[in-house]
Amino acid sequence: MKDYIIHDEWSIIEEGFNPENQRVSESIFSIGNGRMGQRANFEEKYTGDSLRGSYVAGVYYPDKTKVGWWKNGYPEYFAKVLNAPNWIGISVFVDDMELDLHTCTIVEFRRELNMQKGFLYRNFTAEMPDGKQIAVESYRFCSIAEPDAGLIQYSIQSVNFSGTLKVVPYLDADIINTDSNYDEKFWEEVDRGSNQKQSWITAKTKKLDFQVCTGMQVDIVFNGEYQSIIGDPVDRDRFVSKEFSKEISPGDQVTLYKYAAVVSSENHSKTNLIATCQRILEKVYKKGFVECLKDQEKAWKHKWSESDIVILGDVAAQQGIRFNIFQLNQTYTGEDHRLNIGPKGFTGEKYGGSTYWDTEAYCLPFYMSTADPKVAENLLLYRYNHLKKAIENAELLGFKDGAALYPMVTMNGEECHNEWEITFEEIHRNGAIVYAIFDYIRYTGDEGYLLRNGLEVLIAISRFWAQRVNFSNEKNQYVILGVTGPNEYENNVNNNWYTNHIAVWCMEYTMECLEKFRQSHSKELEGIIEKTGILANELDNWKNICENMYYPEDSTRGIFLQQDGFLDKDIRNVTELPKEDYPINQNWSWDRILRSCYIKQADVLQGFYFFEHKFDLDKLKRNFDFYEPLTVHESSLSPCVHSILASRLGYLEKAYEMYLRTARLDLDDYNNDTEDGCHITSMAGTWMSIVKGFGGLQIIDHQIHLNPFIPNGWEAYSFKINFRNHILNVKVSQDKVEISNRSTEMLRISINGTFHQIEPEQVEEIVA
Amino acid sequence: MKDYIIHDEWSIIEEGFNPENQRVSESIFSIGNGRMGQRANFEEKYTGDSLRGSYVAGVYYPDKTKVGWWKNGYPEYFAKVLNAPNWIGISVFVDDMELDLHTCTIVEFRRELNMQKGFLYRNFTAEMPDGKQIAVESYRFCSIAEPDAGLIQYSIQSVNFSGTLKVVPYLDADIINTDSNYDEKFWEEVDRGSNQKQSWITAKTKKLDFQVCTGMQVDIVFNGEYQSIIGDPVDRDRFVSKEFSKEISPGDQVTLYKYAAVVSSENHSKTNLIATCQRILEKVYKKGFVECLKDQEKAWKHKWSESDIVILGDVAAQQGIRFNIFQLNQTYTGEDHRLNIGPKGFTGEKYGGSTYWDTEAYCLPFYMSTADPKVAENLLLYRYNHLKKAIENAELLGFKDGAALYPMVTMNGEECHNEWEITFEEIHRNGAIVYAIFDYIRYTGDEGYLLRNGLEVLIAISRFWAQRVNFSNEKNQYVILGVTGPNEYENNVNNNWYTNHIAVWCMEYTMECLEKFRQSHSKELEGIIEKTGILANELDNWKNICENMYYPEDSTRGIFLQQDGFLDKDIRNVTELPKEDYPINQNWSWDRILRSCYIKQADVLQGFYFFEHKFDLDKLKRNFDFYEPLTVHESSLSPCVHSILASRLGYLEKAYEMYLRTARLDLDDYNNDTEDGCHITSMAGTWMSIVKGFGGLQIIDHQIHLNPFIPNGWEAYSFKINFRNHILNVKVSQDKVEISNRSTEMLRISINGTFHQIEPEQVEEIVA
């Protein structure tokens, strides 16, 4: 837990340099535009503790896995997002001594991530070891309008000295990836070059041959006058630079504009990579830094108009939620269905930058509600395009006849994870893929998606479940043995209620969809039947399984059991744990965690969250009252689900407590791990805690239902959602709810159980 | 499955060279004397496929572990037996062309492991690529009489050429360990030197500073006349050699005697290592090869007189069982309580050469019955001396107050394994440590061992169990959650019957021993009570747990259940498995194995084997009939237990079938993995299959009970056991049992339920 970020409604601000928090700051102040991202490393040299990171969306490396004891079915590689060639570098020399904040005396320092306008700002005054002082001011952003471009304005002023100032903007492709299993370098040079205006390096990954051409074009302004670059450019293996030297006196200022382009073979033809890079450089250079920054502000204005949440009366909360929305929008824009949302986004390498079930379970609702429906559809298409590989993955594990198991962790559809209890057993993830389709259709009404792509996925996953169950003669019912539920603090259990439930739900939903289209779209359906080869007796089998599935329950307590045998545990509430045992995943051996009753994240309750429409409040209350007190919330994905359910139950304090645990998770470095990157996917959970939790948003029968409440300390809060071409702004105050409807049509919305007609471009006021 | 070893009663023979089996042969033809061991690598250069291995008992390396996903409690290193400096090397040059069987035409080749006399013999005639033929004959052994010495006699005769023969005996400490996690070399040189007579290298391991001085002294005989070595000795980093050149003609013969000493800091002071090496070299050199070989034959004669098993009418079976006894005696002599029995002995690096529960469960009975009781006691002392580390190991996992958990895999008492489901959960191993003490006392009658050492171990292990159980309110009984039983094809299960049973048995046995000594040796007991701090209320707690332990059972079938929920599985006999699925551990993904009903090795039945005296035959029969058909025997430790139980049940065909699966496991490379080394620990199981299975040996109330039967195809078999200073020879024929008693006292023995008095030095004949 840290507390050095200054509270502000629209900006993340650090005043005074905190080198001990540099890695954390580098994560928090990251910038990105969905296609590239950059940790808040300094432009100039920095020899203090730092984790450098430039990331290019979709470019990854299949690193050799590190496995202690190999198991059949383990993947051969672990895909990881790569630290890519450095485009931000600017070396600064004061009379041949290089500027390095690690060795300078820092007179003044401030950095600010301007979330409203989408740029990173920094200024500082540094005294060199020989007493010379310079003042530096920099702006940096990854352009939304020109997503292959990053721009820097970097000004240096002499405070107290006369002498030579040398500025060396450079590109460096000699890159180390901290997260390399065998300390290998992943990049090699393909080409590099310079001309009068531009410099570039094309580098390729040693495997898979991703190519990235990184280029720069620079302008130097001295006391307001444009200068020409002089000095021999340095040009060595994987490195190019330009150089500018000037004799300066106190008060003189040199400003460098560095226009960079990061052009990847994922988006451009390899043969034209350099030309493309040069064209983009020329384009942004012509437009100029100031105009490009204006475009950036405009683009962010648009994003905020669809996704902002305003909290009045609590600046820390306001900053927290805006930070989360900002980072989510920096990470994924939904324009490219090959991309997805890594747990750390563009803010770190950890977890490889790959896709987890977080996307379907936590991120989809955010993007669905705050952007064009196409964005959410692209998240679904990502999985649809991986269907073939999911079928191959299931085959590797002994399944057949078109059954699909989506990977636990993936970049391109192939499994990347190798812990047997997760890779092979945490199969509930397959259910989340189906749930996302259901959720998308429920929200958007786009049932056509099923015919276009969805049904094929549904059928393949249902086939998996039908093969994964077995009939227990002992129980005279179907069971699912050997699984890991969402609560990863239990491994290889039998009949995890959540898994059994979502398995049956998948099969039922698939059959329901097939039945519906059999009546309405029999012709289109025929194509799908032919393509998948689905047979009537398969459906009979599914039906039989669904009707005869076993669910562990405790009838005395009226709860579902997390798994068989759960009640044999020594059941004591988390409050009985000694403080020094927290977090148990750092203090207890794994077996002790496994046999304890403690729950990492929602498991049975994840089912109540997903299938809110299937269980009444009494049932929810009994299960919540039993399981939440056993939950240690040691996953960043845990508190949001509990917050939402607590809101539903009217446990307002619990709801707010759980919300607080995620809202400023990274800003306050709550778990002491933000140095590795921000918790991007759980940020969507924070958003949900407000919209689905405090706001009580549900979609029932194509209509919005709200049951809002407002936490005690807040004056008011408002959120925006984009629902079927209506951009709604819902403002909740202590005594009323105001709703506006930016669209061309009236919308009927249920508020606290009563329907209201919200006319377009009007504000409806409802007394709470 | 291979079949290239020629069947012979006393020797292992290969006729004609099988390069495709070279690694397998290198394992099978290994030699050792308990203090050093050597794979059957060629003395001369060999560039074909080969796994080189020279091993020095007790010298190991703590290699950095390779872990995919770290878990709290994992050890930092994995101890492994090291390939040590090469003492066998002899380079042979024919007119400057080096002899290498991989590039020669092999005219004739034969090798023989003479088990009766304890040496490796080889002869071959090779044609060099230029047509020159030489005939080579070699003898090699690790001396039992002088256990730091290895001796080689190596003769080369020109068949068809006149020219220069150069012979270069060398020592090489530039050693590669195949089994290195990060491709590191483990040895570095401390010192090397030569004088007129001797050469030596002292090498040390990069960690832990084990030092080994390897020396040689050589004699050259040319056509029967001793020669002096000429030629400059080569002396480079980690390498020394001598050199002898001679012009020879067809029929001429050069014989090299290479006397080697391998002197380790485990047994000799580091400061005197070279002097010790020189002294030993001088000693064996003086004695001469022929006399030393005579000593070797004598030592083996003695070993066989205590441990031989004779099978008449089945040469393959005879060879198989003698091979097993031979290798067991080569691996462990019981003179040093710091040593133990690695799964591969001195025949390979796999499994790190560390100690597993194999020792207590499988090996102890062999050494107990075929050698001085001191040997078995040393195996117990090995664990006693590790007690402090076992307590520390338990503390790492959250246990306290002197509870001990012995490691799954260890060299020096510290845990070396890192699969959580094994390391943290396969805790039944703790029970085997106690069982070995019980078994030792039952066999030897040495109850004093408990007061000397045993009780401390018993108390510490009972404390572990008492903390490892928890009370289930649901069951109103104690349970043991989250374990892996002996059947490692189930992980993290609840209430493994075997584990629950052995846990309670440990506590009961400890309490029983305490009670007994309270009456008979109260004073000595007081010392132990003080040392361990054991309290009366601890015993009350143990008693309570023992009386209220839950055991999973199926009352319908009248069987114990392997674990909770076992009957929910899809239960089908192994015979229903398609052949191509075998072995399932190579063909199925791990989750599929786990949720299947298939059993790797005896689990419930391990309990019936250990606790034979606690269950009647009906109970055994019901459990055997249920579990054996579900068992795939994919551990080399599986068939022997089933063979013994089948013998007891009178399932004679099953007993013999199971026996066959282990008896020639390595000779016929049954599992296609002998190239990694021989299955040393399971060899003890083969011995048990005959003595405890076919012979029906049990010790009840200090007396031997035999219930012998003889497999159909055999004329007769006999085995020797050393029981309380009586060396008994039991010979079983189709129609009678003959027993002789080499000792000074009569012994009462029960045969098929009737007691007989076996007088010393007489043969008692009993009609079966």
Side-chain angles (χ1 to χ4, degrees), chain A residues 71 419 475 491-492 568, chain B residues 71 419 475 491-492 568:
Chain A
K71 303 266 195 280
E419 285 175 299
K475 292 199 161 68
N491 295 156
N492 194 42
D568 278 335
Chain B
K71 303 266 195 279
E419 286 175 298
K475 293 199 162 67
N491 294 156
N492 193 40
D568 277 336

Side-chain angles (χ1 to χ4, degrees), chain A residues 76 103 147 262 267 370 415 420 522 619 644 753 758:
Chain A
E76 298 282 342
T103 58
V262 177
N267 301 309
T370 64
E415 179 62 81
W420 61 266
S522 60
K619 189 98 191 171
I644 293 166
I758 318 289

Side-chain angles (χ1 to χ4, degrees), chain B residues 17 19 22-23 26 41-52 90-91 98-104 106 122 129 170:
Chain B
F17 184 41
Q22 173 68 350
R23 280 176 186 248
E26 286 173 339
N41 309 125
F42 295 156
E43 286 85 359
E44 73 279 358
K45 180 180 188 175
Y46 182 65
T47 56
D49 187 42
S50 166
L51 173 68
R52 301 201 68 89
I90 300 169
S91 298
E98 188 166 1
L99 171 64
D100 172 358
L101 288 193
H102 187 56
T103 59
C104 289
I106 292 165
R122 181 167 59 117
Y170 66 85

Side-chain angles (χ1 to χ4, degrees), chain A residues 445-655:
Chain A
D446 176 18
E447 292 202 339
Y449 180 74
L450 284 168
L451 291 170
R452 296 198 299 281
N453 309 105
L455 264 178
E456 287 176 54
V457 174
L458 264 50
I459 288 167
I461 288 178
S462 292
R463 281 171 160 166
F464 171 83
W465 290 121
Q467 292 173 39
R468 187 57 169 74
V469 306
N470 74 274
F471 191 75
S472 161
N473 284 318
E474 181 77 0
K475 292 199 161 68
N476 204 29
Q477 281 178 301
Y478 286 95
V479 293
I480 304 184
L481 305 181
V483 305
T484 293
N487 166 26
E488 291 170 332
Y489 286 180
E490 303 273 358
N491 295 156
N492 194 42
V493 300
N494 295 332
N495 295 308
N496 170 261
W497 177 82
Y498 173 79
T499 305
N500 287 19
H501 186 271
I502 205 166
V504 164
W505 175 84
C506 285
M507 290 185 274
E508 284 175 345
Y509 179 58
T510 307
M511 290 189 286
E512 184 191 314
C513 294
L514 286 169
E515 190 50 43
K516 192 180 335 180
F517 289 122
R518 187 163 289 135
Q519 291 157 16
S520 63
H521 294 75
S522 60
K523 199 160 162 230
E524 292 94 325
L525 191 62
E526 247 170 57
I528 292 168
I529 287 172
E530 198 175 318
K531 190 166 180 189
T532 58
I534 183 88
L535 300 170
N537 65 7
E538 280 187 80
L539 301 183
D540 293 344
N541 182 36
W542 298 358
K543 192 153 171 281
N544 181 28
I545 293 168
C546 293
E547 285 168 359
N548 294 288
M549 178 59 82
Y550 159 80
Y551 300 100
E553 295 191 41
D554 174 23
S555 52
T556 317
R557 291 177 178 82
I559 60 170
F560 299 121
L561 280 184
Q562 190 174 278
Q563 76 244 8
D564 280 351
F566 189 82
L567 293 177
D568 278 335
K569 289 169 180 282
D570 184 13
I571 293 176
R572 295 164 197 272
N573 288 354
V574 170
T575 49
E576 290 188 36
L577 275 180
K579 240 188 165 166
E580 61 271 22
D581 286 14
Y582 278 113
I584 59 172
N585 70 14
Q586 284 174 28
N587 293 299
W588 286 13
S589 71
W590 191 243
D591 60 313
R592 190 173 174 197
I593 291 175
L594 291 178
R595 68 178 178 272
S596 82
C597 66
Y598 298 119
I599 301 173
K600 183 184 180 192
Q601 70 183 94
D603 193 296
V604 166
L605 296 178
Q606 183 74 30
F608 276 88
Y609 163 66
F610 269 1
F611 303 105
E612 56 192 15
H613 49 291
K614 293 180 70 174
F615 305 105
D616 63 32
L617 276 181
D618 275 355
K619 189 98 191 171
L620 170 60
K621 182 175 174 349
R622 288 192 301 271
N623 281 275
F624 190 93
D625 291 351
F626 181 75
Y627 286 112
E628 198 284 327
L630 304 179
T631 305
V632 289
H633 302 295
E634 290 181 8
S635 160
S636 66
L637 300 171
S638 185
C640 62
V641 168
H642 290 90
S643 180
I644 293 166
L645 295 178
S647 292
R648 191 152 304 151
L649 288 169
Y651 293 173
L652 306 186
E653 277 184 34
K654 176 57 81 177

